Each structure stands twice: as C-alpha cells, then as structure tokens.
Amino acid sequence: MSNQIVVHNDKVLSFNDAVSFREQMRNRKKIAEKTLEKLEKDIEALTRGIENSCEHKWVKVVNVDSRGQQEQYCTVCFKHVILNGSGG
C-alpha cells in the first residue's frame, strides 16, 4: 500500500494520507452539522420571540392554489397564519 497514490483536487496524496484526510473531513462535517443544527434552533427561537413581540400589521391574501384558503402575513415580522373558514 505504501506506493499507492490518490489524486484529489489536483493534488497527489499517499494512500494513507488520503484515508487520514477523509477521516478529518468527516469529523469536520459532523462538527459543522452540529453547529448548523444549533444555529437553526437559535434562529427559530429568535423568530418566535420577534413574532410574539411584534405589533403586527396584517395583510390578508387568498391562496388560489389551496381552493381559496385565506391567509395573512405580517408586513413587519413576516409571520404567516392560515385562517380557518372563508370569512377570516
């Protein structure tokens, strides 16, 4: 195995270095995924806080694709609500 090489991104690596580099990349990916997951949860929590604190300015719309279902969204925080019934 010591003579085997791997070409990656126009670089020539020894086989062992390539295996090691792949493991390093997998570990970095796991860390990035955990970081992204935490960031997504933080964004969701902040969004809920913004929506709960907003003095909403609602705009009603009719969703033609959903058989005329009425919806509304806030022009300030962009909270989206589906209204039950046809009268709002």
Side-chain angles (χ1 to χ4, degrees):
M1 263 200 244
S2 61
N3 293 334
Q4 291 177 299
I5 61 168
V6 176
V7 178
H8 174 69
N9 289 341
D10 296 327
K11 295 181 182 176
V12 178
L13 304 170
S14 73
F15 185 84
N16 290 336
D17 286 347
V19 170
S20 176
F21 185 59
R22 180 182 64 183
E23 192 60 30
Q24 290 172 15
M25 289 172 44
R26 286 180 174 161
N27 290 335
R28 289 195 323 239
K29 179 183 174 195
K30 287 178 188 177
I31 292 168
E33 287 171 340
K34 288 179 182 178
T35 301
L36 180 59
E37 185 177 303
K38 183 185 180 318
L39 184 58
E40 288 173 342
K41 288 179 182 178
D42 287 347
I43 290 170
E44 289 173 14
L46 183 57
T47 297
R48 281 191 305 275
I50 290 169
E51 289 175 352
N52 291 338
S53 297
C54 184
E55 294 180 7
H56 301 295
K57 294 182 182 177
W58 295 106
V59 172
K60 290 186 180 181
V61 294
V62 175
N63 187 338
V64 179
D65 293 338
S66 296
R67 297 181 180 146
Q69 183 177 45
Q70 291 189 356
E71 303 175 7
Q72 65 184 15
Y73 69 93
C74 174
T75 61
V76 178
C77 72
F78 303 106
K79 181 175 183 173
H80 177 257
V81 177
I82 296 173
L83 302 172
N84 293 330
S86 61

mmCIF file of all heavy atoms in Angstrom, residues 15-60:
data_model
loop_
_atom_site.group_PDB
_atom_site.id
_atom_site.type_symbol
_atom_site.label_atom_id
_atom_site.label_comp_id
_atom_site.label_asym_id
_atom_site.label_seq_id
_atom_site.Cartn_x
_atom_site.Cartn_y
_atom_site.Cartn_z
ATOM 1 N N PHE A 15 -1.747 7.047 -0.183
ATOM 2 C CA PHE A 15 -2.986 6.364 0.180
ATOM 3 C C PHE A 15 -3.323 6.600 1.652
ATOM 4 O O PHE A 15 -4.448 6.944 2.001
ATOM 5 C CB PHE A 15 -2.864 4.867 -0.111
ATOM 6 C CG PHE A 15 -4.131 4.104 0.125
ATOM 7 C CD1 PHE A 15 -5.106 4.044 -0.852
ATOM 8 C CD2 PHE A 15 -4.358 3.456 1.335
ATOM 9 C CE1 PHE A 15 -6.283 3.347 -0.649
ATOM 10 C CE2 PHE A 15 -5.536 2.761 1.554
ATOM 11 C CZ PHE A 15 -6.498 2.702 0.558
ATOM 12 N N ASN A 16 -2.345 6.442 2.535
ATOM 13 C CA ASN A 16 -2.578 6.627 3.973
ATOM 14 C C ASN A 16 -2.967 8.058 4.309
ATOM 15 O O ASN A 16 -3.837 8.293 5.149
ATOM 16 C CB ASN A 16 -1.338 6.205 4.776
ATOM 17 C CG ASN A 16 -1.125 4.704 4.732
ATOM 18 O OD1 ASN A 16 -2.062 3.940 4.519
ATOM 19 N ND2 ASN A 16 0.113 4.287 4.909
ATOM 20 N N ASP A 17 -2.324 9.025 3.660
ATOM 21 C CA ASP A 17 -2.686 10.422 3.887
ATOM 22 C C ASP A 17 -4.113 10.704 3.412
ATOM 23 O O ASP A 17 -4.859 11.454 4.046
ATOM 24 C CB ASP A 17 -1.722 11.365 3.173
ATOM 25 C CG ASP A 17 -0.364 11.449 3.863
ATOM 26 O OD1 ASP A 17 -0.249 10.978 5.020
ATOM 27 O OD2 ASP A 17 0.575 11.986 3.241
ATOM 28 N N ALA A 18 -4.499 10.091 2.302
ATOM 29 C CA ALA A 18 -5.855 10.272 1.783
ATOM 30 C C ALA A 18 -6.883 9.710 2.757
ATOM 31 O O ALA A 18 -7.914 10.345 3.026
ATOM 32 C CB ALA A 18 -6.000 9.615 0.412
ATOM 33 N N VAL A 19 -6.624 8.536 3.315
ATOM 34 C CA VAL A 19 -7.538 7.937 4.293
ATOM 35 C C VAL A 19 -7.634 8.819 5.525
ATOM 36 O O VAL A 19 -8.732 9.090 6.040
ATOM 37 C CB VAL A 19 -7.076 6.500 4.655
ATOM 38 C CG1 VAL A 19 -7.873 5.965 5.832
ATOM 39 C CG2 VAL A 19 -7.216 5.584 3.448
ATOM 40 N N SER A 20 -6.515 9.319 5.996
ATOM 41 C CA SER A 20 -6.495 10.197 7.167
ATOM 42 C C SER A 20 -7.240 11.503 6.883
ATOM 43 O O SER A 20 -8.021 11.979 7.708
ATOM 44 C CB SER A 20 -5.047 10.483 7.559
ATOM 45 O OG SER A 20 -4.996 11.401 8.615
ATOM 46 N N PHE A 21 -7.003 12.078 5.708
ATOM 47 C CA PHE A 21 -7.660 13.324 5.332
ATOM 48 C C PHE A 21 -9.172 13.141 5.235
ATOM 49 O O PHE A 21 -9.943 13.999 5.659
ATOM 50 C CB PHE A 21 -7.082 13.835 4.016
ATOM 51 C CG PHE A 21 -7.603 15.172 3.597
ATOM 52 C CD1 PHE A 21 -7.448 16.284 4.403
ATOM 53 C CD2 PHE A 21 -8.232 15.323 2.373
ATOM 54 C CE1 PHE A 21 -7.925 17.523 4.008
ATOM 55 C CE2 PHE A 21 -8.718 16.551 1.973
ATOM 56 C CZ PHE A 21 -8.566 17.656 2.790
ATOM 57 N N ARG A 22 -9.590 11.986 4.689
ATOM 58 C CA ARG A 22 -11.028 11.694 4.603
ATOM 59 C C ARG A 22 -11.648 11.662 5.997
ATOM 60 O O ARG A 22 -12.729 12.212 6.219
ATOM 61 C CB ARG A 22 -11.254 10.370 3.883
ATOM 62 C CG ARG A 22 -12.735 10.010 3.765
ATOM 63 C CD ARG A 22 -12.953 8.688 3.092
ATOM 64 N NE ARG A 22 -12.380 7.612 3.903
ATOM 65 C CZ ARG A 22 -12.376 6.334 3.540
ATOM 66 N NH1 ARG A 22 -12.879 5.963 2.385
ATOM 67 N NH2 ARG A 22 -11.852 5.415 4.320
ATOM 68 N N GLU A 23 -10.973 11.057 6.954
ATOM 69 C CA GLU A 23 -11.489 10.989 8.322
ATOM 70 C C GLU A 23 -11.565 12.386 8.945
ATOM 71 O O GLU A 23 -12.529 12.724 9.628
ATOM 72 C CB GLU A 23 -10.621 10.065 9.181
ATOM 73 C CG GLU A 23 -11.232 9.729 10.506
ATOM 74 C CD GLU A 23 -12.578 9.016 10.394
ATOM 75 O OE1 GLU A 23 -12.819 8.278 9.415
ATOM 76 O OE2 GLU A 23 -13.409 9.209 11.292
ATOM 77 N N GLN A 24 -10.564 13.199 8.676
ATOM 78 C CA GLN A 24 -10.588 14.583 9.167
ATOM 79 C C GLN A 24 -11.772 15.351 8.576
ATOM 80 O O GLN A 24 -12.448 16.105 9.279
ATOM 81 C CB GLN A 24 -9.286 15.301 8.805
ATOM 82 C CG GLN A 24 -8.071 14.824 9.554
ATOM 83 C CD GLN A 24 -6.802 15.443 9.011
ATOM 84 O OE1 GLN A 24 -6.822 16.429 8.269
ATOM 85 N NE2 GLN A 24 -5.657 14.845 9.362
ATOM 86 N N MET A 25 -12.018 15.145 7.296
ATOM 87 C CA MET A 25 -13.145 15.814 6.638
ATOM 88 C C MET A 25 -14.464 15.350 7.234
ATOM 89 O O MET A 25 -15.375 16.166 7.453
ATOM 90 C CB MET A 25 -13.106 15.560 5.125
ATOM 91 C CG MET A 25 -11.985 16.294 4.439
ATOM 92 S SD MET A 25 -11.720 15.888 2.688
ATOM 93 C CE MET A 25 -13.327 15.836 1.998
ATOM 94 N N ARG A 26 -14.599 14.052 7.513
ATOM 95 C CA ARG A 26 -15.825 13.539 8.132
ATOM 96 C C ARG A 26 -16.038 14.160 9.502
ATOM 97 O O ARG A 26 -17.163 14.513 9.866
ATOM 98 C CB ARG A 26 -15.776 12.018 8.227
ATOM 99 C CG ARG A 26 -15.986 11.319 6.917
ATOM 100 C CD ARG A 26 -15.917 9.818 7.070
ATOM 101 N NE ARG A 26 -16.265 9.157 5.818
ATOM 102 C CZ ARG A 26 -15.959 7.902 5.541
ATOM 103 N NH1 ARG A 26 -15.315 7.152 6.429
ATOM 104 N NH2 ARG A 26 -16.312 7.378 4.392
ATOM 105 N N ASN A 27 -14.976 14.274 10.277
ATOM 106 C CA ASN A 27 -15.087 14.886 11.600
ATOM 107 C C ASN A 27 -15.486 16.357 11.504
ATOM 108 O O ASN A 27 -16.330 16.831 12.276
ATOM 109 C CB ASN A 27 -13.773 14.740 12.381
ATOM 110 C CG ASN A 27 -13.514 13.310 12.804
ATOM 111 O OD1 ASN A 27 -14.444 12.504 12.941
ATOM 112 N ND2 ASN A 27 -12.254 12.966 13.007
ATOM 113 N N ARG A 28 -14.892 17.082 10.565
ATOM 114 C CA ARG A 28 -15.264 18.490 10.376
ATOM 115 C C ARG A 28 -16.714 18.611 9.947
ATOM 116 O O ARG A 28 -17.430 19.527 10.350
ATOM 117 C CB ARG A 28 -14.342 19.152 9.354
ATOM 118 C CG ARG A 28 -12.940 19.364 9.879
ATOM 119 C CD ARG A 28 -12.118 20.325 9.043
ATOM 120 N NE ARG A 28 -12.334 20.252 7.627
ATOM 121 C CZ ARG A 28 -11.395 19.981 6.723
ATOM 122 N NH1 ARG A 28 -10.162 19.725 7.103
ATOM 123 N NH2 ARG A 28 -11.680 19.967 5.440
ATOM 124 N N LYS A 29 -17.175 17.669 9.117
ATOM 125 C CA LYS A 29 -18.570 17.676 8.667
ATOM 126 C C LYS A 29 -19.513 17.489 9.848
ATOM 127 O O LYS A 29 -20.526 18.181 9.966
ATOM 128 C CB LYS A 29 -18.801 16.583 7.626
ATOM 129 C CG LYS A 29 -20.229 16.520 7.123
ATOM 130 C CD LYS A 29 -20.420 15.366 6.159
ATOM 131 C CE LYS A 29 -21.894 15.255 5.791
ATOM 132 N NZ LYS A 29 -22.202 13.976 5.171
ATOM 133 N N LYS A 30 -19.197 16.550 10.740
ATOM 134 C CA LYS A 30 -20.038 16.323 11.918
ATOM 135 C C LYS A 30 -20.117 17.571 12.785
ATOM 136 O O LYS A 30 -21.191 17.939 13.270
ATOM 137 C CB LYS A 30 -19.496 15.155 12.749
ATOM 138 C CG LYS A 30 -19.727 13.801 12.137
ATOM 139 C CD LYS A 30 -19.122 12.707 13.000
ATOM 140 C CE LYS A 30 -19.184 11.361 12.299
ATOM 141 N NZ LYS A 30 -18.530 10.306 13.108
ATOM 142 N N ILE A 31 -18.993 18.230 12.987
ATOM 143 C CA ILE A 31 -18.967 19.458 13.782
ATOM 144 C C ILE A 31 -19.803 20.544 13.099
ATOM 145 O O ILE A 31 -20.581 21.243 13.741
ATOM 146 C CB ILE A 31 -17.519 19.939 14.009
ATOM 147 C CG1 ILE A 31 -16.794 18.951 14.928
ATOM 148 C CG2 ILE A 31 -17.479 21.341 14.575
ATOM 149 C CD1 ILE A 31 -15.291 19.156 15.005
ATOM 150 N N ALA A 32 -19.658 20.670 11.791
ATOM 151 C CA ALA A 32 -20.420 21.678 11.043
ATOM 152 C C ALA A 32 -21.916 21.398 11.118
ATOM 153 O O ALA A 32 -22.726 22.323 11.262
ATOM 154 C CB ALA A 32 -19.952 21.722 9.588
ATOM 155 N N GLU A 33 -22.303 20.114 11.035
ATOM 156 C CA GLU A 33 -23.721 19.751 11.114
ATOM 157 C C GLU A 33 -24.293 20.097 12.483
ATOM 158 O O GLU A 33 -25.403 20.617 12.588
ATOM 159 C CB GLU A 33 -23.913 18.265 10.809
ATOM 160 C CG GLU A 33 -23.737 17.926 9.347
ATOM 161 C CD GLU A 33 -23.711 16.433 9.070
ATOM 162 O OE1 GLU A 33 -23.456 15.629 10.000
ATOM 163 O OE2 GLU A 33 -23.932 16.067 7.897
ATOM 164 N N LYS A 34 -23.531 19.838 13.555
ATOM 165 C CA LYS A 34 -23.987 20.177 14.903
ATOM 166 C C LYS A 34 -24.090 21.685 15.070
ATOM 167 O O LYS A 34 -25.033 22.188 15.685
ATOM 168 C CB LYS A 34 -23.053 19.583 15.957
ATOM 169 C CG LYS A 34 -23.177 18.085 16.075
ATOM 170 C CD LYS A 34 -22.211 17.516 17.106
ATOM 171 C CE LYS A 34 -22.319 16.000 17.156
ATOM 172 N NZ LYS A 34 -21.365 15.413 18.100
ATOM 173 N N THR A 35 -23.136 22.410 14.522
ATOM 174 C CA THR A 35 -23.167 23.871 14.585
ATOM 175 C C THR A 35 -24.370 24.413 13.828
ATOM 176 O O THR A 35 -25.076 25.305 14.314
ATOM 177 C CB THR A 35 -21.863 24.452 14.006
ATOM 178 O OG1 THR A 35 -20.757 23.947 14.761
ATOM 179 C CG2 THR A 35 -21.859 25.971 14.054
ATOM 180 N N LEU A 36 -24.627 23.872 12.651
ATOM 181 C CA LEU A 36 -25.764 24.302 11.850
ATOM 182 C C LEU A 36 -27.079 23.995 12.554
ATOM 183 O O LEU A 36 -27.993 24.827 12.572
ATOM 184 C CB LEU A 36 -25.730 23.626 10.478
ATOM 185 C CG LEU A 36 -26.858 23.980 9.516
ATOM 186 C CD1 LEU A 36 -26.891 25.477 9.239
ATOM 187 C CD2 LEU A 36 -26.694 23.194 8.223
ATOM 188 N N GLU A 37 -27.188 22.824 13.161
ATOM 189 C CA GLU A 37 -28.397 22.450 13.884
ATOM 190 C C GLU A 37 -28.664 23.424 15.036
ATOM 191 O O GLU A 37 -29.787 23.876 15.235
ATOM 192 C CB GLU A 37 -28.245 21.029 14.421
ATOM 193 C CG GLU A 37 -29.478 20.475 15.094
ATOM 194 C CD GLU A 37 -29.271 19.042 15.542
ATOM 195 O OE1 GLU A 37 -28.940 18.205 14.682
ATOM 196 O OE2 GLU A 37 -29.445 18.771 16.744
ATOM 197 N N LYS A 38 -27.623 23.781 15.779
ATOM 198 C CA LYS A 38 -27.777 24.744 16.879
ATOM 199 C C LYS A 38 -28.185 26.106 16.341
ATOM 200 O O LYS A 38 -29.062 26.770 16.892
ATOM 201 C CB LYS A 38 -26.489 24.860 17.682
ATOM 202 C CG LYS A 38 -26.634 25.792 18.881
ATOM 203 C CD LYS A 38 -25.327 26.003 19.587
ATOM 204 C CE LYS A 38 -25.448 26.919 20.778
ATOM 205 N NZ LYS A 38 -26.261 28.087 20.638
ATOM 206 N N LEU A 39 -27.571 26.529 15.262
ATOM 207 C CA LEU A 39 -27.897 27.814 14.657
ATOM 208 C C LEU A 39 -29.348 27.844 14.193
ATOM 209 O O LEU A 39 -30.059 28.842 14.399
ATOM 210 C CB LEU A 39 -26.953 28.094 13.483
ATOM 211 C CG LEU A 39 -27.084 29.433 12.781
ATOM 212 C CD1 LEU A 39 -26.878 30.580 13.761
ATOM 213 C CD2 LEU A 39 -26.085 29.525 11.651
ATOM 214 N N GLU A 40 -29.831 26.767 13.582
ATOM 215 C CA GLU A 40 -31.221 26.697 13.141
ATOM 216 C C GLU A 40 -32.178 26.796 14.322
ATOM 217 O O GLU A 40 -33.191 27.496 14.257
ATOM 218 C CB GLU A 40 -31.468 25.411 12.351
ATOM 219 C CG GLU A 40 -30.834 25.428 10.976
ATOM 220 C CD GLU A 40 -30.920 24.106 10.240
ATOM 221 O OE1 GLU A 40 -31.162 23.057 10.888
ATOM 222 O OE2 GLU A 40 -30.724 24.110 9.021
ATOM 223 N N LYS A 41 -31.864 26.125 15.437
ATOM 224 C CA LYS A 41 -32.705 26.212 16.633
ATOM 225 C C LYS A 41 -32.694 27.615 17.206
ATOM 226 O O LYS A 41 -33.726 28.127 17.644
ATOM 227 C CB LYS A 41 -32.245 25.202 17.683
ATOM 228 C CG LYS A 41 -32.573 23.774 17.329
ATOM 229 C CD LYS A 41 -32.073 22.803 18.376
ATOM 230 C CE LYS A 41 -32.374 21.368 17.982
ATOM 231 N NZ LYS A 41 -31.860 20.405 18.968
ATOM 232 N N ASP A 42 -31.528 28.260 17.215
ATOM 233 C CA ASP A 42 -31.431 29.634 17.708
ATOM 234 C C ASP A 42 -32.244 30.592 16.838
ATOM 235 O O ASP A 42 -32.911 31.494 17.347
ATOM 236 C CB ASP A 42 -29.972 30.089 17.762
ATOM 237 C CG ASP A 42 -29.188 29.446 18.890
ATOM 238 O OD1 ASP A 42 -29.807 28.838 19.788
ATOM 239 O OD2 ASP A 42 -27.940 29.553 18.867
ATOM 240 N N ILE A 43 -32.196 30.391 15.528
ATOM 241 C CA ILE A 43 -32.970 31.240 14.611
ATOM 242 C C ILE A 43 -34.464 31.047 14.851
ATOM 243 O O ILE A 43 -35.222 32.019 14.890
ATOM 244 C CB ILE A 43 -32.599 30.936 13.140
ATOM 245 C CG1 ILE A 43 -31.192 31.433 12.840
ATOM 246 C CG2 ILE A 43 -33.608 31.563 12.179
ATOM 247 C CD1 ILE A 43 -30.642 30.960 11.498
ATOM 248 N N GLU A 44 -34.903 29.789 15.016
ATOM 249 C CA GLU A 44 -36.319 29.517 15.276
ATOM 250 C C GLU A 44 -36.770 30.182 16.572
ATOM 251 O O GLU A 44 -37.848 30.786 16.629
ATOM 252 C CB GLU A 44 -36.563 28.011 15.341
ATOM 253 C CG GLU A 44 -36.468 27.307 14.009
ATOM 254 C CD GLU A 44 -36.542 25.789 14.132
ATOM 255 O OE1 GLU A 44 -36.939 25.293 15.208
ATOM 256 O OE2 GLU A 44 -36.219 25.112 13.152
ATOM 257 N N ALA A 45 -35.956 30.094 17.623
ATOM 258 C CA ALA A 45 -36.311 30.698 18.909
ATOM 259 C C ALA A 45 -36.379 32.221 18.792
ATOM 260 O O ALA A 45 -37.299 32.858 19.321
ATOM 261 C CB ALA A 45 -35.301 30.299 19.980
ATOM 262 N N LEU A 46 -35.428 32.816 18.088
ATOM 263 C CA LEU A 46 -35.441 34.259 17.904
ATOM 264 C C LEU A 46 -36.632 34.690 17.065
ATOM 265 O O LEU A 46 -37.285 35.709 17.361
ATOM 266 C CB LEU A 46 -34.132 34.719 17.260
ATOM 267 C CG LEU A 46 -33.971 36.221 17.066
ATOM 268 C CD1 LEU A 46 -34.113 36.967 18.397
ATOM 269 C CD2 LEU A 46 -32.630 36.522 16.421
ATOM 270 N N THR A 47 -36.957 33.911 16.043
ATOM 271 C CA THR A 47 -38.121 34.217 15.203
ATOM 272 C C THR A 47 -39.396 34.213 16.027
ATOM 273 O O THR A 47 -40.232 35.110 15.904
ATOM 274 C CB THR A 47 -38.221 33.217 14.033
ATOM 275 O OG1 THR A 47 -37.055 33.368 13.212
ATOM 276 C CG2 THR A 47 -39.464 33.453 13.196
ATOM 277 N N ARG A 48 -39.568 33.196 16.901
ATOM 278 C CA ARG A 48 -40.745 33.149 17.775
ATOM 279 C C ARG A 48 -40.786 34.368 18.686
ATOM 280 O O ARG A 48 -41.837 34.958 18.902
ATOM 281 C CB ARG A 48 -40.752 31.857 18.598
ATOM 282 C CG ARG A 48 -41.225 30.649 17.825
ATOM 283 C CD ARG A 48 -41.471 29.443 18.731
ATOM 284 N NE ARG A 48 -40.307 29.078 19.540
ATOM 285 C CZ ARG A 48 -39.315 28.305 19.127
ATOM 286 N NH1 ARG A 48 -39.333 27.817 17.897
ATOM 287 N NH2 ARG A 48 -38.308 28.015 19.929
ATOM 288 N N GLY A 49 -39.648 34.752 19.224
ATOM 289 C CA GLY A 49 -39.595 35.931 20.079
ATOM 290 C C GLY A 49 -39.984 37.200 19.335
ATOM 291 O O GLY A 49 -40.730 38.041 19.852
ATOM 292 N N ILE A 50 -39.493 37.338 18.112
ATOM 293 C CA ILE A 50 -39.842 38.505 17.295
ATOM 294 C C ILE A 50 -41.335 38.507 17.002
ATOM 295 O O ILE A 50 -42.002 39.531 17.153
ATOM 296 C CB ILE A 50 -39.022 38.505 15.985
ATOM 297 C CG1 ILE A 50 -37.553 38.811 16.278
ATOM 298 C CG2 ILE A 50 -39.599 39.493 14.968
ATOM 299 C CD1 ILE A 50 -36.617 38.567 15.108
ATOM 300 N N GLU A 51 -41.871 37.353 16.599
ATOM 301 C CA GLU A 51 -43.295 37.273 16.279
ATOM 302 C C GLU A 51 -44.161 37.564 17.499
ATOM 303 O O GLU A 51 -45.198 38.224 17.387
ATOM 304 C CB GLU A 51 -43.626 35.887 15.726
ATOM 305 C CG GLU A 51 -43.063 35.654 14.346
ATOM 306 C CD GLU A 51 -43.272 34.234 13.837
ATOM 307 O OE1 GLU A 51 -43.735 33.367 14.607
ATOM 308 O OE2 GLU A 51 -42.978 33.999 12.662
ATOM 309 N N ASN A 52 -43.740 37.099 18.668
ATOM 310 C CA ASN A 52 -44.517 37.330 19.879
ATOM 311 C C ASN A 52 -44.455 38.780 20.346
ATOM 312 O O ASN A 52 -45.352 39.258 21.024
ATOM 313 C CB ASN A 52 -44.046 36.404 21.006
ATOM 314 C CG ASN A 52 -44.389 34.956 20.740
ATOM 315 O OD1 ASN A 52 -45.291 34.657 19.974
ATOM 316 N ND2 ASN A 52 -43.649 34.058 21.356
ATOM 317 N N SER A 53 -43.399 39.500 19.989
ATOM 318 C CA SER A 53 -43.232 40.885 20.420
ATOM 319 C C SER A 53 -43.739 41.899 19.396
ATOM 320 O O SER A 53 -43.890 43.075 19.713
ATOM 321 C CB SER A 53 -41.751 41.170 20.691
ATOM 322 O OG SER A 53 -41.285 40.376 21.742
ATOM 323 N N CYS A 54 -44.005 41.451 18.199
ATOM 324 C CA CYS A 54 -44.364 42.353 17.099
ATOM 325 C C CYS A 54 -45.773 42.911 17.270
ATOM 326 O O CYS A 54 -46.688 42.220 17.704
ATOM 327 C CB CYS A 54 -44.269 41.598 15.775
ATOM 328 S SG CYS A 54 -44.571 42.624 14.323
ATOM 329 N N GLU A 55 -45.925 44.176 16.938
ATOM 330 C CA GLU A 55 -47.258 44.776 16.820
ATOM 331 C C GLU A 55 -47.642 44.611 15.347
ATOM 332 O O GLU A 55 -47.401 45.482 14.531
ATOM 333 C CB GLU A 55 -47.226 46.237 17.234
ATOM 334 C CG GLU A 55 -46.910 46.412 18.709
ATOM 335 C CD GLU A 55 -46.862 47.864 19.142
ATOM 336 O OE1 GLU A 55 -47.199 48.752 18.324
ATOM 337 O OE2 GLU A 55 -46.473 48.109 20.288
ATOM 338 N N HIS A 56 -48.225 43.476 15.059
ATOM 339 C CA HIS A 56 -48.436 43.026 13.686
ATOM 340 C C HIS A 56 -49.225 44.021 12.836
ATOM 341 O O HIS A 56 -50.150 44.669 13.302
ATOM 342 C CB HIS A 56 -49.170 41.684 13.672
ATOM 343 C CG HIS A 56 -48.441 40.601 14.385
ATOM 344 N ND1 HIS A 56 -47.237 40.116 13.958
ATOM 345 C CD2 HIS A 56 -48.738 39.908 15.521
ATOM 346 C CE1 HIS A 56 -46.819 39.159 14.781
ATOM 347 N NE2 HIS A 56 -47.712 39.019 15.739
ATOM 348 N N LYS A 57 -48.830 44.104 11.581
ATOM 349 C CA LYS A 57 -49.565 44.830 10.542
ATOM 350 C C LYS A 57 -49.905 43.775 9.496
ATOM 351 O O LYS A 57 -49.090 43.423 8.653
ATOM 352 C CB LYS A 57 -48.724 45.959 9.957
ATOM 353 C CG LYS A 57 -48.442 47.045 10.973
ATOM 354 C CD LYS A 57 -47.656 48.177 10.375
ATOM 355 C CE LYS A 57 -47.378 49.202 11.470
ATOM 356 N NZ LYS A 57 -46.555 50.294 11.007
ATOM 357 N N TRP A 58 -51.136 43.249 9.604
ATOM 358 C CA TRP A 58 -51.541 42.098 8.819
ATOM 359 C C TRP A 58 -52.000 42.482 7.419
ATOM 360 O O TRP A 58 -52.648 43.496 7.211
ATOM 361 C CB TRP A 58 -52.684 41.351 9.504
ATOM 362 C CG TRP A 58 -52.297 40.752 10.813
ATOM 363 C CD1 TRP A 58 -52.658 41.198 12.046
ATOM 364 C CD2 TRP A 58 -51.483 39.614 11.038
ATOM 365 N NE1 TRP A 58 -52.110 40.400 13.019
ATOM 366 C CE2 TRP A 58 -51.384 39.406 12.425
ATOM 367 C CE3 TRP A 58 -50.813 38.734 10.195
ATOM 368 C CZ2 TRP A 58 -50.663 38.364 12.989
ATOM 369 C CZ3 TRP A 58 -50.088 37.697 10.761
ATOM 370 C CH2 TRP A 58 -50.018 37.516 12.141
ATOM 371 N N VAL A 59 -51.695 41.627 6.479
ATOM 372 C CA VAL A 59 -52.204 41.701 5.117
ATOM 373 C C VAL A 59 -52.857 40.357 4.850
ATOM 374 O O VAL A 59 -52.238 39.305 5.047
ATOM 375 C CB VAL A 59 -51.074 41.957 4.093
ATOM 376 C CG1 VAL A 59 -51.599 41.839 2.679
ATOM 377 C CG2 VAL A 59 -50.433 43.302 4.324
ATOM 378 N N LYS A 60 -54.131 40.397 4.435
ATOM 379 C CA LYS A 60 -54.835 39.158 4.126
ATOM 380 C C LYS A 60 -54.693 38.848 2.646
ATOM 381 O O LYS A 60 -54.726 39.747 1.807
ATOM 382 C CB LYS A 60 -56.319 39.257 4.490
ATOM 383 C CG LYS A 60 -56.554 39.281 5.972
ATOM 384 C CD LYS A 60 -58.024 39.235 6.304
ATOM 385 C CE LYS A 60 -58.216 39.253 7.810
ATOM 386 N NZ LYS A 60 -59.641 39.180 8.179
#
